[in-house]
Amino acid sequence: MNLLDFDSDFDVVVLGAGVIGINTAYWALRSGKRVCVIDRQPAAGLETSFANGGQISVSHAEPWANPSAPFKVMKWLFDDRAPLLFRPKFDIHQWLWLAKFLVNCLPRRADRNTVEIVKLATESRALLRQIREREGIRYDERSRGILHFYRDQREFAAAVGVAELMRKFGCDRAVIDTDRVVEIEPALAERKRDIVGATYTADDESGDALLYTQRLAAVCAKMGATYLWCSDATALDADRTAQRVHSVEVRTPDGYRRLRARDVVVCLGSYSAPFLRPYGVPLAIYPAKGYSVTIPTEGSNAAPVTSLTDDEYKLVYSNLGGRLRVAGTAELSGYTRNLNLRRCRAILDNARILFPKAGNFAKATFWTGLRPTTPSNVPYIGRTRYRNLWLNTGHGTLGWTMGAGSGHRVVDMIANDDGPVLASA
Ligand SMILES: Cc1cc2nc3c(=O)[nH]c(=O)nc-3n(C[C@H](O)[C@H](O)[C@H](O)COP(=O)(O)OP(=O)(O)OC[C@H]3O[C@@H](n4cnc5c(N)ncnc54)[C@H](O)[C@@H]3O)c2cc1C
């Protein structure tokens, strides 16, 4: 670890070394900035970016908040095996978030949010390819598209409408029949009779977000980034009158340090909201706990090769070189990451029913992570009431998909000293 002098100066201090923070650091370094990244973990990508669904999925741009959501949420309320579980708490932030979520379910809002996410995700997918080629990073990536399949006629009909909206804004999400489904993903042949329809987005991809984040972090280190690992960002010296943040206080393993920076970017995932609250920056970010199961395929040729989304159970499947990752479900239950075994078993059972010979289910491993979710699913990318305090956070279900593009956008705003003022109290 680099030992820093008290009061070290940087151009940009990035708080958080998840997939969002590391992409931000990368673009800042490319624009010639001196960059320091701070994270409480001993390496990059160890929290929500650790074992996600692996999808680079522009086609997944439809936000959770859409016109059909309130009905579904009511139906699933308190059902332990439901894809979305709401556990009410005495927490004003949870209730405020929920109220905003309901507002975003209005059809016009949902369409506007979908379009905004499609634009950012498309931009991001192209930049991810650029980074991969330029830096020679490998992360068990696959460029075989993403297939969404439906077992419910009504859900499929709704998806056809959303796919049409996405196509208008550049996401080539095609509606396909079941013969084509099996052509694209032979492992679904046995299930063909249950599928009523599907969409396929050939340009979408998949890959291991953790591998990418850690390999890009290594590239950033070579480009000159300073890292402070095992270090908690504890406070900001924020001056409301001057509208500036003068420094960041950090608790490192060697004691407290104060870092001065021209610009500070907050990429703390679900923890961005509590971190910024004392400074009058109210972020509507609430953690949505998700689960993933990783099954070693052990050479099986019956595992799916294309990244899939099973709409009925809201589960995604990605083949990550010798591992089948299955991820999904959302639990609005605060900051706990504990594993609910019923939910783990539900995911494993679904995977086993669909692909019984996909791998060694007895060796499956389970994980949970907290998606930093905004009510609209649109992330915060912009500046705050403090002119040099920037936000790149709240990427919810699509942080892996939107990471490269979000980092690029916020660094562009910093370079031009121009960006929308977000979350003003
Ligand atoms: C089950 C599941 C499946 C998913 N599947 C997909 C998918 O298929 N495709 C997709 O695009 N997205 C997916 N996502 C979403 C994606 O994983 C997240 O949006 C993304 O990882 C968020 O990245 P982040 O950098 O904002 O947060 P994190 O990765 O959580 O990074 C935040 C960092 O901040 C650090 N930190 C927090 N507080 C402090 C502090 N005070 N001081 C210092 N450090 C601090 C943490 O240690 C952490 O490293 C999924 C998420 C889940 C949970």
Side-chain angles (χ1 to χ4, degrees), residues 16-20 39-41 47-49 52-55 231-233 267-269 271 290-291 327 369 371 395-401:
V19 68
I20 302 300
D39 202 288
R40 60 187 174 194
Q41 297 290 347
E47 296 211 358
T48 312
S49 308
N52 70 19
Q55 291 194 330
S231 296
D232 257 286
C267 309
L268 297 173
Y271 297 88
Y291 284 72
R371 300 180 188 89
H395 295 74
T397 48
L398 287 181
W400 174 212
T401 303

PDB file of all heavy atoms in Angstrom, residues 16-20 39-41 47-49 52-55 231-233 267-269 271 290-291 327 369 371 395-401, ligand 1:
ATOM      1  N   GLY A  16     -14.884   4.600  -3.238  1.00  0.00           N
ATOM      2  CA  GLY A  16     -15.509   3.328  -3.607  1.00  0.00           C
ATOM      3  C   GLY A  16     -14.823   2.692  -4.803  1.00  0.00           C
ATOM      4  O   GLY A  16     -14.634   3.337  -5.832  1.00  0.00           O
ATOM      5  N   ALA A  17     -14.446   1.420  -4.636  1.00  0.00           N
ATOM      6  CA  ALA A  17     -13.728   0.702  -5.710  1.00  0.00           C
ATOM      7  C   ALA A  17     -14.539  -0.485  -6.211  1.00  0.00           C
ATOM      8  O   ALA A  17     -14.028  -1.568  -6.446  1.00  0.00           O
ATOM      9  CB  ALA A  17     -12.351   0.243  -5.215  1.00  0.00           C
ATOM     10  N   GLY A  18     -15.851  -0.252  -6.395  1.00  0.00           N
ATOM     11  CA  GLY A  18     -16.667  -1.244  -7.097  1.00  0.00           C
ATOM     12  C   GLY A  18     -16.502  -1.015  -8.591  1.00  0.00           C
ATOM     13  O   GLY A  18     -15.641  -0.243  -9.026  1.00  0.00           O
ATOM     14  N   VAL A  19     -17.358  -1.676  -9.368  1.00  0.00           N
ATOM     15  CA  VAL A  19     -17.232  -1.545 -10.821  1.00  0.00           C
ATOM     16  C   VAL A  19     -17.422  -0.084 -11.243  1.00  0.00           C
ATOM     17  O   VAL A  19     -16.794   0.390 -12.200  1.00  0.00           O
ATOM     18  CB  VAL A  19     -18.219  -2.500 -11.547  1.00  0.00           C
ATOM     19  CG1 VAL A  19     -19.679  -2.097 -11.359  1.00  0.00           C
ATOM     20  CG2 VAL A  19     -17.887  -2.613 -13.027  1.00  0.00           C
ATOM     21  N   ILE A  20     -18.226   0.678 -10.499  1.00  0.00           N
ATOM     22  CA  ILE A  20     -18.465   2.087 -10.861  1.00  0.00           C
ATOM     23  C   ILE A  20     -17.244   2.945 -10.520  1.00  0.00           C
ATOM     24  O   ILE A  20     -16.775   3.739 -11.349  1.00  0.00           O
ATOM     25  CB  ILE A  20     -19.733   2.616 -10.129  1.00  0.00           C
ATOM     26  CG1 ILE A  20     -20.956   1.759 -10.479  1.00  0.00           C
ATOM     27  CG2 ILE A  20     -19.969   4.090 -10.451  1.00  0.00           C
ATOM     28  CD1 ILE A  20     -21.323   1.706 -11.944  1.00  0.00           C
ATOM     29  N   ASP A  39     -11.200   2.571  -0.604  1.00  0.00           N
ATOM     30  CA  ASP A  39     -12.233   1.554  -0.338  1.00  0.00           C
ATOM     31  C   ASP A  39     -11.955   0.873   0.996  1.00  0.00           C
ATOM     32  O   ASP A  39     -10.805   0.642   1.366  1.00  0.00           O
ATOM     33  CB  ASP A  39     -12.289   0.506  -1.457  1.00  0.00           C
ATOM     34  CG  ASP A  39     -13.646  -0.202  -1.471  1.00  0.00           C
ATOM     35  OD1 ASP A  39     -13.916  -1.011  -0.555  1.00  0.00           O
ATOM     36  OD2 ASP A  39     -14.440   0.067  -2.394  1.00  0.00           O
ATOM     37  N   ARG A  40     -13.033   0.507   1.669  1.00  0.00           N
ATOM     38  CA  ARG A  40     -12.876  -0.138   2.981  1.00  0.00           C
ATOM     39  C   ARG A  40     -12.454  -1.601   2.850  1.00  0.00           C
ATOM     40  O   ARG A  40     -12.025  -2.213   3.821  1.00  0.00           O
ATOM     41  CB  ARG A  40     -14.186  -0.037   3.755  1.00  0.00           C
ATOM     42  CG  ARG A  40     -15.363  -0.705   3.063  1.00  0.00           C
ATOM     43  CD  ARG A  40     -16.639  -0.416   3.815  1.00  0.00           C
ATOM     44  NE  ARG A  40     -17.811  -0.913   3.104  1.00  0.00           N
ATOM     45  CZ  ARG A  40     -19.047  -0.558   3.406  1.00  0.00           C
ATOM     46  NH1 ARG A  40     -19.268   0.308   4.369  1.00  0.00           N
ATOM     47  NH2 ARG A  40     -20.071  -1.052   2.750  1.00  0.00           N
ATOM     48  N   GLN A  41     -12.583  -2.167   1.663  1.00  0.00           N
ATOM     49  CA  GLN A  41     -12.205  -3.570   1.441  1.00  0.00           C
ATOM     50  C   GLN A  41     -10.719  -3.663   1.070  1.00  0.00           C
ATOM     51  O   GLN A  41     -10.103  -2.679   0.681  1.00  0.00           O
ATOM     52  CB  GLN A  41     -13.043  -4.158   0.303  1.00  0.00           C
ATOM     53  CG  GLN A  41     -14.533  -4.208   0.592  1.00  0.00           C
ATOM     54  CD  GLN A  41     -14.897  -5.237   1.642  1.00  0.00           C
ATOM     55  OE1 GLN A  41     -14.082  -6.098   2.002  1.00  0.00           O
ATOM     56  NE2 GLN A  41     -16.105  -5.150   2.162  1.00  0.00           N
ATOM     57  N   GLU A  47     -17.744  -5.916  -2.945  1.00  0.00           N
ATOM     58  CA  GLU A  47     -19.110  -5.834  -2.399  1.00  0.00           C
ATOM     59  C   GLU A  47     -20.129  -6.155  -3.490  1.00  0.00           C
ATOM     60  O   GLU A  47     -20.150  -7.272  -3.986  1.00  0.00           O
ATOM     61  CB  GLU A  47     -19.306  -4.482  -1.695  1.00  0.00           C
ATOM     62  CG  GLU A  47     -18.340  -4.405  -0.490  1.00  0.00           C
ATOM     63  CD  GLU A  47     -18.811  -3.596   0.691  1.00  0.00           C
ATOM     64  OE1 GLU A  47     -19.904  -3.011   0.640  1.00  0.00           O
ATOM     65  OE2 GLU A  47     -18.059  -3.559   1.701  1.00  0.00           O
ATOM     66  N   THR A  48     -20.943  -5.204  -3.933  1.00  0.00           N
ATOM     67  CA  THR A  48     -22.033  -5.583  -4.861  1.00  0.00           C
ATOM     68  C   THR A  48     -21.525  -6.049  -6.221  1.00  0.00           C
ATOM     69  O   THR A  48     -22.228  -6.762  -6.941  1.00  0.00           O
ATOM     70  CB  THR A  48     -23.015  -4.400  -5.030  1.00  0.00           C
ATOM     71  OG1 THR A  48     -23.336  -3.913  -3.730  1.00  0.00           O
ATOM     72  CG2 THR A  48     -24.292  -4.823  -5.707  1.00  0.00           C
ATOM     73  N   SER A  49     -20.313  -5.651  -6.590  1.00  0.00           N
ATOM     74  CA  SER A  49     -19.794  -6.052  -7.894  1.00  0.00           C
ATOM     75  C   SER A  49     -19.165  -7.448  -7.856  1.00  0.00           C
ATOM     76  O   SER A  49     -18.527  -7.876  -8.823  1.00  0.00           O
ATOM     77  CB  SER A  49     -18.766  -5.014  -8.375  1.00  0.00           C
ATOM     78  OG  SER A  49     -19.317  -3.717  -8.305  1.00  0.00           O
ATOM     79  N   ASN A  52     -22.407 -10.780  -9.377  1.00  0.00           N
ATOM     80  CA  ASN A  52     -23.720 -10.437  -9.937  1.00  0.00           C
ATOM     81  C   ASN A  52     -24.079 -11.354 -11.107  1.00  0.00           C
ATOM     82  O   ASN A  52     -23.381 -12.330 -11.378  1.00  0.00           O
ATOM     83  CB  ASN A  52     -23.788  -8.940 -10.285  1.00  0.00           C
ATOM     84  CG  ASN A  52     -22.911  -8.571 -11.462  1.00  0.00           C
ATOM     85  OD1 ASN A  52     -22.521  -9.416 -12.251  1.00  0.00           O
ATOM     86  ND2 ASN A  52     -22.586  -7.304 -11.573  1.00  0.00           N
ATOM     87  N   GLY A  53     -25.181 -11.017 -11.799  1.00  0.00           N
ATOM     88  CA  GLY A  53     -25.690 -11.893 -12.853  1.00  0.00           C
ATOM     89  C   GLY A  53     -24.834 -11.930 -14.110  1.00  0.00           C
ATOM     90  O   GLY A  53     -25.072 -12.763 -14.994  1.00  0.00           O
ATOM     91  N   GLY A  54     -23.887 -11.017 -14.234  1.00  0.00           N
ATOM     92  CA  GLY A  54     -22.936 -11.079 -15.350  1.00  0.00           C
ATOM     93  C   GLY A  54     -23.439 -10.499 -16.658  1.00  0.00           C
ATOM     94  O   GLY A  54     -22.703 -10.482 -17.644  1.00  0.00           O
ATOM     95  N   GLN A  55     -24.675  -9.989 -16.685  1.00  0.00           N
ATOM     96  CA  GLN A  55     -25.209  -9.540 -17.972  1.00  0.00           C
ATOM     97  C   GLN A  55     -24.836  -8.090 -18.306  1.00  0.00           C
ATOM     98  O   GLN A  55     -25.002  -7.199 -17.467  1.00  0.00           O
ATOM     99  CB  GLN A  55     -26.742  -9.633 -17.973  1.00  0.00           C
ATOM    100  CG  GLN A  55     -27.249 -11.055 -17.958  1.00  0.00           C
ATOM    101  CD  GLN A  55     -28.727 -11.142 -18.292  1.00  0.00           C
ATOM    102  OE1 GLN A  55     -29.500 -10.222 -18.020  1.00  0.00           O
ATOM    103  NE2 GLN A  55     -29.143 -12.261 -18.863  1.00  0.00           N
ATOM    104  N   SER A 231      -9.713   1.083   3.989  1.00  0.00           N
ATOM    105  CA  SER A 231      -9.789   2.464   4.485  1.00  0.00           C
ATOM    106  C   SER A 231     -11.204   2.991   4.333  1.00  0.00           C
ATOM    107  O   SER A 231     -11.760   2.995   3.233  1.00  0.00           O
ATOM    108  CB  SER A 231      -8.834   3.357   3.681  1.00  0.00           C
ATOM    109  OG  SER A 231      -7.505   2.930   3.891  1.00  0.00           O
ATOM    110  N   ASP A 232     -11.749   3.440   5.446  1.00  0.00           N
ATOM    111  CA  ASP A 232     -13.124   3.946   5.453  1.00  0.00           C
ATOM    112  C   ASP A 232     -13.145   5.436   5.195  1.00  0.00           C
ATOM    113  O   ASP A 232     -12.447   6.177   5.895  1.00  0.00           O
ATOM    114  CB  ASP A 232     -13.694   3.754   6.868  1.00  0.00           C
ATOM    115  CG  ASP A 232     -14.616   2.579   6.923  1.00  0.00           C
ATOM    116  OD1 ASP A 232     -15.731   2.705   6.418  1.00  0.00           O
ATOM    117  OD2 ASP A 232     -14.188   1.545   7.466  1.00  0.00           O
ATOM    118  N   ALA A 233     -13.943   5.862   4.245  1.00  0.00           N
ATOM    119  CA  ALA A 233     -14.198   7.305   4.122  1.00  0.00           C
ATOM    120  C   ALA A 233     -15.162   7.640   5.250  1.00  0.00           C
ATOM    121  O   ALA A 233     -16.270   7.091   5.298  1.00  0.00           O
ATOM    122  CB  ALA A 233     -14.820   7.606   2.773  1.00  0.00           C
ATOM    123  N   CYS A 267     -18.832   7.028  -5.223  1.00  0.00           N
ATOM    124  CA  CYS A 267     -19.244   5.780  -5.899  1.00  0.00           C
ATOM    125  C   CYS A 267     -19.377   4.698  -4.833  1.00  0.00           C
ATOM    126  O   CYS A 267     -18.793   3.611  -4.952  1.00  0.00           O
ATOM    127  CB  CYS A 267     -18.201   5.343  -6.922  1.00  0.00           C
ATOM    128  SG  CYS A 267     -17.673   6.593  -8.095  1.00  0.00           S
ATOM    129  N   LEU A 268     -20.125   4.993  -3.784  1.00  0.00           N
ATOM    130  CA  LEU A 268     -20.180   4.088  -2.628  1.00  0.00           C
ATOM    131  C   LEU A 268     -21.362   3.126  -2.686  1.00  0.00           C
ATOM    132  O   LEU A 268     -21.747   2.550  -1.668  1.00  0.00           O
ATOM    133  CB  LEU A 268     -20.229   4.906  -1.327  1.00  0.00           C
ATOM    134  CG  LEU A 268     -19.001   5.783  -1.051  1.00  0.00           C
ATOM    135  CD1 LEU A 268     -19.236   6.686   0.163  1.00  0.00           C
ATOM    136  CD2 LEU A 268     -17.759   4.925  -0.820  1.00  0.00           C
ATOM    137  N   GLY A 269     -21.933   2.941  -3.850  1.00  0.00           N
ATOM    138  CA  GLY A 269     -23.038   2.001  -3.991  1.00  0.00           C
ATOM    139  C   GLY A 269     -24.158   2.346  -3.023  1.00  0.00           C
ATOM    140  O   GLY A 269     -24.523   3.521  -2.857  1.00  0.00           O
ATOM    141  N   TYR A 271     -24.203   2.596   0.017  1.00  0.00           N
ATOM    142  CA  TYR A 271     -23.791   3.395   1.174  1.00  0.00           C
ATOM    143  C   TYR A 271     -23.632   4.872   0.825  1.00  0.00           C
ATOM    144  O   TYR A 271     -23.317   5.685   1.697  1.00  0.00           O
ATOM    145  CB  TYR A 271     -22.501   2.816   1.784  1.00  0.00           C
ATOM    146  CG  TYR A 271     -22.771   1.418   2.291  1.00  0.00           C
ATOM    147  CD1 TYR A 271     -22.631   0.325   1.446  1.00  0.00           C
ATOM    148  CD2 TYR A 271     -23.253   1.206   3.583  1.00  0.00           C
ATOM    149  CE1 TYR A 271     -22.946  -0.962   1.863  1.00  0.00           C
ATOM    150  CE2 TYR A 271     -23.568  -0.071   4.018  1.00  0.00           C
ATOM    151  CZ  TYR A 271     -23.418  -1.144   3.157  1.00  0.00           C
ATOM    152  OH  TYR A 271     -23.751  -2.406   3.583  1.00  0.00           O
ATOM    153  N   GLY A 290     -30.043  -8.784  -3.539  1.00  0.00           N
ATOM    154  CA  GLY A 290     -30.237  -9.807  -4.569  1.00  0.00           C
ATOM    155  C   GLY A 290     -29.382 -11.022  -4.241  1.00  0.00           C
ATOM    156  O   GLY A 290     -28.443 -10.934  -3.439  1.00  0.00           O
ATOM    157  N   TYR A 291     -29.735 -12.131  -4.851  1.00  0.00           N
ATOM    158  CA  TYR A 291     -29.024 -13.386  -4.601  1.00  0.00           C
ATOM    159  C   TYR A 291     -28.367 -13.881  -5.874  1.00  0.00           C
ATOM    160  O   TYR A 291     -28.886 -13.670  -6.974  1.00  0.00           O
ATOM    161  CB  TYR A 291     -30.021 -14.469  -4.170  1.00  0.00           C
ATOM    162  CG  TYR A 291     -30.506 -14.331  -2.758  1.00  0.00           C
ATOM    163  CD1 TYR A 291     -31.394 -13.317  -2.412  1.00  0.00           C
ATOM    164  CD2 TYR A 291     -30.086 -15.215  -1.771  1.00  0.00           C
ATOM    165  CE1 TYR A 291     -31.842 -13.189  -1.108  1.00  0.00           C
ATOM    166  CE2 TYR A 291     -30.546 -15.090  -0.468  1.00  0.00           C
ATOM    167  CZ  TYR A 291     -31.415 -14.078  -0.137  1.00  0.00           C
ATOM    168  OH  TYR A 291     -31.865 -13.939   1.148  1.00  0.00           O
ATOM    169  N   ALA A 327     -28.791 -15.498 -11.136  1.00  0.00           N
ATOM    170  CA  ALA A 327     -28.962 -14.400 -10.168  1.00  0.00           C
ATOM    171  C   ALA A 327     -30.325 -13.762 -10.311  1.00  0.00           C
ATOM    172  O   ALA A 327     -30.938 -13.802 -11.374  1.00  0.00           O
ATOM    173  CB  ALA A 327     -27.873 -13.349 -10.387  1.00  0.00           C
ATOM    174  N   GLY A 369     -25.925  -9.590  -2.499  1.00  0.00           N
ATOM    175  CA  GLY A 369     -25.347  -8.253  -2.641  1.00  0.00           C
ATOM    176  C   GLY A 369     -26.457  -7.218  -2.611  1.00  0.00           C
ATOM    177  O   GLY A 369     -27.624  -7.541  -2.885  1.00  0.00           O
ATOM    178  N   ARG A 371     -28.040  -4.151  -4.214  1.00  0.00           N
ATOM    179  CA  ARG A 371     -28.101  -3.255  -5.380  1.00  0.00           C
ATOM    180  C   ARG A 371     -28.417  -1.839  -4.894  1.00  0.00           C
ATOM    181  O   ARG A 371     -29.388  -1.642  -4.163  1.00  0.00           O
ATOM    182  CB  ARG A 371     -29.232  -3.662  -6.326  1.00  0.00           C
ATOM    183  CG  ARG A 371     -29.148  -5.049  -6.910  1.00  0.00           C
ATOM    184  CD  ARG A 371     -30.366  -5.251  -7.813  1.00  0.00           C
ATOM    185  NE  ARG A 371     -30.510  -6.607  -8.289  1.00  0.00           N
ATOM    186  CZ  ARG A 371     -31.184  -7.559  -7.635  1.00  0.00           C
ATOM    187  NH1 ARG A 371     -31.736  -7.307  -6.469  1.00  0.00           N
ATOM    188  NH2 ARG A 371     -31.295  -8.765  -8.158  1.00  0.00           N
ATOM    189  N   HIS A 395     -26.831   2.680  -9.367  1.00  0.00           N
ATOM    190  CA  HIS A 395     -27.015   1.962 -10.634  1.00  0.00           C
ATOM    191  C   HIS A 395     -27.904   0.733 -10.527  1.00  0.00           C
ATOM    192  O   HIS A 395     -28.130   0.054 -11.533  1.00  0.00           O
ATOM    193  CB  HIS A 395     -25.649   1.587 -11.226  1.00  0.00           C
ATOM    194  CG  HIS A 395     -24.839   2.786 -11.622  1.00  0.00           C
ATOM    195  ND1 HIS A 395     -24.236   3.596 -10.691  1.00  0.00           N
ATOM    196  CD2 HIS A 395     -24.566   3.321 -12.834  1.00  0.00           C
ATOM    197  CE1 HIS A 395     -23.618   4.585 -11.328  1.00  0.00           C
ATOM    198  NE2 HIS A 395     -23.801   4.444 -12.618  1.00  0.00           N
ATOM    199  N   GLY A 396     -28.367   0.424  -9.326  1.00  0.00           N
ATOM    200  CA  GLY A 396     -29.367  -0.623  -9.144  1.00  0.00           C
ATOM    201  C   GLY A 396     -29.068  -1.932  -9.845  1.00  0.00           C
ATOM    202  O   GLY A 396     -28.007  -2.539  -9.643  1.00  0.00           O
ATOM    203  N   THR A 397     -30.001  -2.336 -10.694  1.00  0.00           N
ATOM    204  CA  THR A 397     -29.908  -3.646 -11.351  1.00  0.00           C
ATOM    205  C   THR A 397     -28.867  -3.680 -12.468  1.00  0.00           C
ATOM    206  O   THR A 397     -28.545  -4.752 -12.964  1.00  0.00           O
ATOM    207  CB  THR A 397     -31.256  -3.988 -12.019  1.00  0.00           C
ATOM    208  OG1 THR A 397     -31.681  -2.843 -12.759  1.00  0.00           O
ATOM    209  CG2 THR A 397     -32.311  -4.323 -11.004  1.00  0.00           C
ATOM    210  N   LEU A 398     -28.358  -2.515 -12.889  1.00  0.00           N
ATOM    211  CA  LEU A 398     -27.553  -2.506 -14.120  1.00  0.00           C
ATOM    212  C   LEU A 398     -26.194  -1.822 -13.986  1.00  0.00           C
ATOM    213  O   LEU A 398     -25.702  -1.232 -14.947  1.00  0.00           O
ATOM    214  CB  LEU A 398     -28.354  -1.831 -15.249  1.00  0.00           C
ATOM    215  CG  LEU A 398     -29.515  -2.641 -15.835  1.00  0.00           C
ATOM    216  CD1 LEU A 398     -30.189  -1.855 -16.960  1.00  0.00           C
ATOM    217  CD2 LEU A 398     -29.042  -3.989 -16.376  1.00  0.00           C
ATOM    218  N   GLY A 399     -25.574  -1.921 -12.828  1.00  0.00           N
ATOM    219  CA  GLY A 399     -24.286  -1.240 -12.648  1.00  0.00           C
ATOM    220  C   GLY A 399     -23.172  -1.810 -13.509  1.00  0.00           C
ATOM    221  O   GLY A 399     -22.286  -1.073 -13.965  1.00  0.00           O
ATOM    222  N   TRP A 400     -23.201  -3.083 -13.740  1.00  0.00           N
ATOM    223  CA  TRP A 400     -22.184  -3.724 -14.589  1.00  0.00           C
ATOM    224  C   TRP A 400     -22.392  -3.242 -16.026  1.00  0.00           C
ATOM    225  O   TRP A 400     -21.461  -2.876 -16.722  1.00  0.00           O
ATOM    226  CB  TRP A 400     -22.313  -5.227 -14.418  1.00  0.00           C
ATOM    227  CG  TRP A 400     -21.518  -6.192 -15.243  1.00  0.00           C
ATOM    228  CD1 TRP A 400     -21.957  -7.432 -15.612  1.00  0.00           C
ATOM    229  CD2 TRP A 400     -20.181  -6.092 -15.762  1.00  0.00           C
ATOM    230  NE1 TRP A 400     -20.998  -8.081 -16.330  1.00  0.00           N
ATOM    231  CE2 TRP A 400     -19.887  -7.282 -16.437  1.00  0.00           C
ATOM    232  CE3 TRP A 400     -19.219  -5.089 -15.739  1.00  0.00           C
ATOM    233  CZ2 TRP A 400     -18.680  -7.517 -17.079  1.00  0.00           C
ATOM    234  CZ3 TRP A 400     -17.996  -5.312 -16.384  1.00  0.00           C
ATOM    235  CH2 TRP A 400     -17.742  -6.512 -17.032  1.00  0.00           C
ATOM    236  N   THR A 401     -23.650  -3.177 -16.435  1.00  0.00           N
ATOM    237  CA  THR A 401     -23.969  -2.738 -17.800  1.00  0.00           C
ATOM    238  C   THR A 401     -23.622  -1.264 -18.011  1.00  0.00           C
ATOM    239  O   THR A 401     -23.102  -0.887 -19.063  1.00  0.00           O
ATOM    240  CB  THR A 401     -25.483  -2.940 -18.064  1.00  0.00           C
ATOM    241  OG1 THR A 401     -25.803  -4.320 -17.846  1.00  0.00           O
ATOM    242  CG2 THR A 401     -25.877  -2.533 -19.467  1.00  0.00           C
TER     243      THR A 401
HETATM  244  C1  LIG B   1     -27.908 -10.462  -7.431  1.00  0.00           C
HETATM  245  C2  LIG B   1     -27.445  -9.329  -8.316  1.00  0.00           C
HETATM  246  C3  LIG B   1     -27.391  -9.524  -9.687  1.00  0.00           C
HETATM  247  C4  LIG B   1     -26.999  -8.483 -10.529  1.00  0.00           C
HETATM  248  N1  LIG B   1     -26.879  -8.718 -11.861  1.00  0.00           N
HETATM  249  C5  LIG B   1     -26.464  -7.728 -12.693  1.00  0.00           C
HETATM  250  C6  LIG B   1     -26.316  -7.970 -14.079  1.00  0.00           C
HETATM  251  O1  LIG B   1     -26.509  -9.089 -14.573  1.00  0.00           O
HETATM  252  N2  LIG B   1     -25.943  -6.931 -14.864  1.00  0.00           N
HETATM  253  C7  LIG B   1     -25.729  -5.676 -14.362  1.00  0.00           C
HETATM  254  O2  LIG B   1     -25.443  -4.775 -15.135  1.00  0.00           O
HETATM  255  N3  LIG B   1     -25.800  -5.437 -13.032  1.00  0.00           N
HETATM  256  C8  LIG B   1     -26.171  -6.425 -12.184  1.00  0.00           C
HETATM  257  N4  LIG B   1     -26.290  -6.194 -10.846  1.00  0.00           N
HETATM  258  C9  LIG B   1     -26.069  -4.826 -10.338  1.00  0.00           C
HETATM  259  C10 LIG B   1     -24.596  -4.495 -10.172  1.00  0.00           C
HETATM  260  O3  LIG B   1     -23.916  -5.574  -9.567  1.00  0.00           O
HETATM  261  C11 LIG B   1     -24.473  -3.234  -9.298  1.00  0.00           C
HETATM  262  O4  LIG B   1     -25.256  -2.194  -9.855  1.00  0.00           O
HETATM  263  C12 LIG B   1     -23.033  -2.758  -9.228  1.00  0.00           C
HETATM  264  O5  LIG B   1     -22.198  -3.788  -8.740  1.00  0.00           O
HETATM  265  C13 LIG B   1     -22.916  -1.546  -8.315  1.00  0.00           C
HETATM  266  O6  LIG B   1     -21.570  -1.161  -8.315  1.00  0.00           O
HETATM  267  P1  LIG B   1     -21.044  -0.028  -7.354  1.00  0.00           P
HETATM  268  O7  LIG B   1     -19.627   0.179  -7.693  1.00  0.00           O
HETATM  269  O8  LIG B   1     -21.982   1.134  -7.382  1.00  0.00           O
HETATM  270  O9  LIG B   1     -21.221  -0.647  -5.892  1.00  0.00           O
HETATM  271  P2  LIG B   1     -20.193  -1.666  -5.062  1.00  0.00           P
HETATM  272  O10 LIG B   1     -19.691  -2.682  -5.994  1.00  0.00           O
HETATM  273  O11 LIG B   1     -20.944  -2.049  -3.891  1.00  0.00           O
HETATM  274  O12 LIG B   1     -19.018  -0.671  -4.733  1.00  0.00           O
HETATM  275  C14 LIG B   1     -19.108   0.292  -3.692  1.00  0.00           C
HETATM  276  C15 LIG B   1     -17.795   0.240  -2.944  1.00  0.00           C
HETATM  277  O13 LIG B   1     -17.814   1.247  -1.928  1.00  0.00           O
HETATM  278  C16 LIG B   1     -17.121   0.732  -0.806  1.00  0.00           C
HETATM  279  N5  LIG B   1     -17.568   1.504   0.365  1.00  0.00           N
HETATM  280  C17 LIG B   1     -18.826   1.682   0.835  1.00  0.00           C
HETATM  281  N6  LIG B   1     -18.827   2.541   1.868  1.00  0.00           N
HETATM  282  C18 LIG B   1     -17.543   2.916   2.073  1.00  0.00           C
HETATM  283  C19 LIG B   1     -16.895   3.824   2.952  1.00  0.00           C
HETATM  284  N7  LIG B   1     -17.563   4.554   3.868  1.00  0.00           N
HETATM  285  N8  LIG B   1     -15.555   3.967   2.851  1.00  0.00           N
HETATM  286  C20 LIG B   1     -14.841   3.276   1.941  1.00  0.00           C
HETATM  287  N9  LIG B   1     -15.391   2.419   1.063  1.00  0.00           N
HETATM  288  C21 LIG B   1     -16.728   2.250   1.118  1.00  0.00           C
HETATM  289  C22 LIG B   1     -17.494  -0.736  -0.759  1.00  0.00           C
HETATM  290  O14 LIG B   1     -16.510  -1.473  -0.070  1.00  0.00           O
HETATM  291  C23 LIG B   1     -17.575  -1.099  -2.236  1.00  0.00           C
HETATM  292  O15 LIG B   1     -16.387  -1.681  -2.708  1.00  0.00           O
HETATM  293  C24 LIG B   1     -26.662  -7.225  -9.975  1.00  0.00           C
HETATM  294  C25 LIG B   1     -26.676  -7.041  -8.587  1.00  0.00           C
HETATM  295  C26 LIG B   1     -27.062  -8.083  -7.760  1.00  0.00           C
HETATM  296  C27 LIG B   1     -27.051  -7.880  -6.272  1.00  0.00           C
END
